[in-house]
Amino acid sequence: MTNSFAGQITDRNFLQATGFRFSVAKANKVGFFGNAINVPGFTLGSPNQPSYLKMIPRVGDILDFNDLRIRFLIDQNLENYMQIQNWMRGLGFPDSLDEIYKFQNSWDVPKEQRSEINLTSDGTLTILSAINNPLFVVKFLDMFPTSLSDINFDSTLTDVEYLTADVTFKYLNYTIEPFDCC
């Protein structure tokens, strides 16, 4: 007689959507106020091999990662919003090349540890258990912001609503690893 439950999940606890912490070195004020984030999905491309009857799908070899999106509360001094905005301005240098140099020199990393161009940053998403103990770490490599949402003020609101912003990041790769406390 075979056990029909063999190979089933034994831990019946589920992840909670509120159990996370995020940090990124170039925008350290964004993570603390983060209130929504995604672990991006990805797709594996599958080329088609032509045949005289139909196209035959084949296993691909290129992963295409979805974007990392973060929603965060905006502090009243706009410090976290401005960190992302300045990072993006430093990448795009809309007025002059001096903006990119100013951005590179403003980052809180010792000069000997900076890369030649210094445009990206690594990020870490810590996934927490139901009792807020770290379970997993999602490490993002070479992140950079690609979009920052508007700040929408509205004087017709009847209740106090705290403003949020959305930022979208591209990155080279990410890994999910068990949390190692020691």
Side-chain angles (χ1 to χ4, degrees):
M1 181 166 168
T2 61
N3 183 354
S4 62
F5 294 108
Q8 293 292 316
I9 296 173
T10 57
D11 184 356
R12 300 291 184 198
N13 295 316
F14 300 102
L15 285 178
Q16 295 181 10
T18 58
F20 70 91
R21 286 190 311 243
F22 181 74
S23 65
V24 59
K26 280 195 191 308
N28 58 352
K29 296 178 182 179
V30 171
F32 179 76
F33 293 106
N35 59 2
I37 191 167
N38 67 311
V39 174
F42 52 90
T43 57
L44 177 64
S46 61
N48 288 318
Q49 176 183 346
S51 75
Y52 68 94
L53 295 176
K54 67 174 191 167
M55 300 298 275
I56 302 168
R58 295 294 180 193
V59 176
D61 59 357
I62 297 176
L63 289 175
D64 185 21
F65 292 97
N66 295 346
D67 294 339
L68 172 65
R69 294 176 308 279
I70 301 167
R71 182 180 316 120
F72 61 95
L73 292 165
I74 302 171
D75 67 283
Q76 73 176 4
N77 293 325
L78 294 176
E79 291 180 46
N80 51 9
Y81 189 85
M82 293 306 297
Q83 277 189 324
I84 299 294
Q85 189 180 94
N86 290 338
W87 189 356
M88 292 179 74
R89 287 180 178 275
L91 295 172
F93 47 91
D95 293 326
S96 72
L97 286 176
D98 289 334
E99 286 185 78
I100 196 167
Y101 302 128
K102 180 180 175 186
F103 167 70
Q104 289 175 355
N105 291 327
S106 70
W107 194 36
D108 296 331
V109 170
K111 199 161 192 131
E112 59 276 358
Q113 293 179 3
R114 296 180 189 172
S115 67
E116 186 175 315
I117 298 177
N118 192 31
L119 302 177
T120 64
S121 180
D122 293 346
T124 303
L125 169 63
T126 305
I127 299 173
L128 306 174
S129 71
I131 56 173
N132 290 330
N133 290 330
L135 293 172
F136 294 94
V137 177
V138 184
K139 295 180 181 179
F140 295 90
L141 302 176
D142 294 338
M143 297 172 49
F144 60 95
T146 58
S147 72
L148 179 61
S149 68
D150 303 337
I151 300 175
N152 297 310
F153 293 91
D154 186 351
S155 64
T156 63
L157 296 174
T158 57
D159 282 338
V160 174
E161 289 187 22
Y162 297 105
L163 295 175
T164 62
D166 294 312
V167 60
T168 302
F169 289 94
K170 296 284 188 190
Y171 50 92
L172 179 64
N173 193 4
Y174 76 84
T175 59
I176 301 175
E177 303 168 3
F179 181 79
D180 184 16
C181 67
C182 306

